Amino acid sequence: MSIDLSGIRKTLMVLALALGLWVVGLGVFFWKTTGTITGPALPDYGKVPPFSLVNFNNLPIQLSDLQGKVSVMDFFFTTCPGPCPAMTSQMKRLQDEFKDRRGIQFVSVTVDPETDTPAVLSRYAAVVGADPGRWFFLTGSRKEIQDLANHGLYLAVGDNAAVAPATGQGTITHSTRFVLIDGRAHIRGYYDSTDNQSLQELVRAIERLPAEKTN
């Protein structure tokens, strides 16, 4: 009886190829589940304290409105002659980057509530291309805003406005950092809005957060 060696070789080659593809597939699956989901945990700087502000529709926004979604928050003002336009541009880029991820929202809080009324914020949001269902512009009393920034999120916001000599416009000292907040309203990171590498780290952190356990 003769043995068909060529047929055996073909069978072994097919089995080896199938095994190789299975190993590659397992490796990709392992990389996705460990590299993306179970990487080193992001820091936790504690929970955002209760606050009460209003949006550009003059509707109240409270801490509970942040919960259940990942939020990126910053502080700005519409007449800012300094970094605010660049900050808003970067926030718009984040909104566009995650346009298909409905569990992510963006929150910009004015530090000049006397100027930035809900009507002013509404017009500003339209000009910068904010999605009204995902990117919220908030105002309120100066004390409430400063308490939230300085004591709640540990970001510096100045007490008084000054006039910039070069432009004649008012300027208010405030942080240029973006704050990442998870679905439990816990602060998970600070990112420099003027630094591209820091913003790339923010994008990676946003991608990871929805996969983290929140209990």
Side-chain angles (χ1 to χ4, degrees), residues 94-158:
L94 289 173
Q95 176 191 253
D96 294 344
E97 176 79 16
F98 293 99
K99 63 182 179 180
D100 298 324
R101 298 276 295 276
R102 306 311 297 180
I104 300 169
Q105 60 191 1
F106 307 91
V107 184
S108 294
V109 183
T110 181
V111 296
D112 186 11
E114 291 80 13
T115 301
D116 294 337
T117 63
V120 169
L121 291 177
S122 179
R123 291 193 294 270
Y124 185 82
V127 168
V128 302
D131 179 344
R134 303 188 65 203
W135 187 357
F136 309 105
F137 289 81
L138 307 183
T139 187
S141 74
R142 181 173 291 274
K143 182 180 186 306
E144 185 77 25
I145 291 168
Q146 290 180 347
D147 283 348
L148 175 61
N150 295 334
H151 307 301
L153 299 174
Y154 315 111
L155 295 178
V157 169

Side-chain angles (χ1 to χ4, degrees), residues 1-208:
M1 181 179 64
S2 63
I3 299 176
D4 185 358
L5 295 178
S6 63
I8 293 175
R9 291 192 188 97
K10 289 180 179 179
T11 300
L12 291 175
M13 288 176 65
V14 170
L15 290 173
L17 178 60
L19 179 61
L21 291 174
W22 179 80
V23 170
V24 170
L26 182 63
V28 171
F29 174 78
F30 180 78
W31 176 84
K32 286 184 176 180
T33 55
T34 57
T36 302
I37 296 176
T38 61
L42 295 171
D44 189 331
Y45 297 103
K47 190 170 184 176
V48 178
F51 64 86
S52 181
L53 299 173
V54 296
N55 65 13
F56 50 58
N57 292 318
N58 210 27
L59 297 174
I61 299 294
Q62 300 177 337
L63 178 64
S64 59
D65 295 297
L66 294 186
Q67 295 176 312
K69 292 185 178 182
V70 173
S71 303
V72 180
M73 181 181 287
D74 73 341
F75 290 82
F76 84 113
F77 60 109
T78 62
T79 58
C80 173
C84 298
M87 293 173 64
T88 299
S89 177
Q90 295 290 15
M91 194 73 89
K92 174 64 163 55
R93 288 176 60 187
L94 289 173
Q95 176 191 253
D96 294 344
E97 176 79 16
F98 293 99
K99 63 182 179 180
D100 298 324
R101 298 276 295 276
R102 306 311 297 180
I104 300 169
Q105 60 191 1
F106 307 91
V107 184
S108 294
V109 183
T110 181
V111 296
D112 186 11
E114 291 80 13
T115 301
D116 294 337
T117 63
V120 169
L121 291 177
S122 179
R123 291 193 294 270
Y124 185 82
V127 168
V128 302
D131 179 344
R134 303 188 65 203
W135 187 357
F136 309 105
F137 289 81
L138 307 183
T139 187
S141 74
R142 181 173 291 274
K143 182 180 186 306
E144 185 77 25
I145 291 168
Q146 290 180 347
D147 283 348
L148 175 61
N150 295 334
H151 307 301
L153 299 174
Y154 315 111
L155 295 178
V157 169
D159 290 326
N160 300 312
V163 176
T167 63
Q169 293 180 300
T171 180
I172 301 172
T173 301
H174 64 91
S175 174
T176 59
R177 289 190 291 176
F178 290 164
V179 184
L180 179 61
I181 302 169
D182 68 18
R184 301 172 300 154
H186 281 231
I187 302 167
R188 304 304 299 273
Y190 296 90
Y191 302 86
D192 184 352
S193 67
T194 66
D195 181 78
N196 285 330
Q197 182 176 347
S198 184
L199 290 173
Q200 290 171 5
E201 292 173 359
L202 172 57
V203 168
R204 289 192 290 269
I206 292 172
E207 289 173 341
R208 286 181 48 202

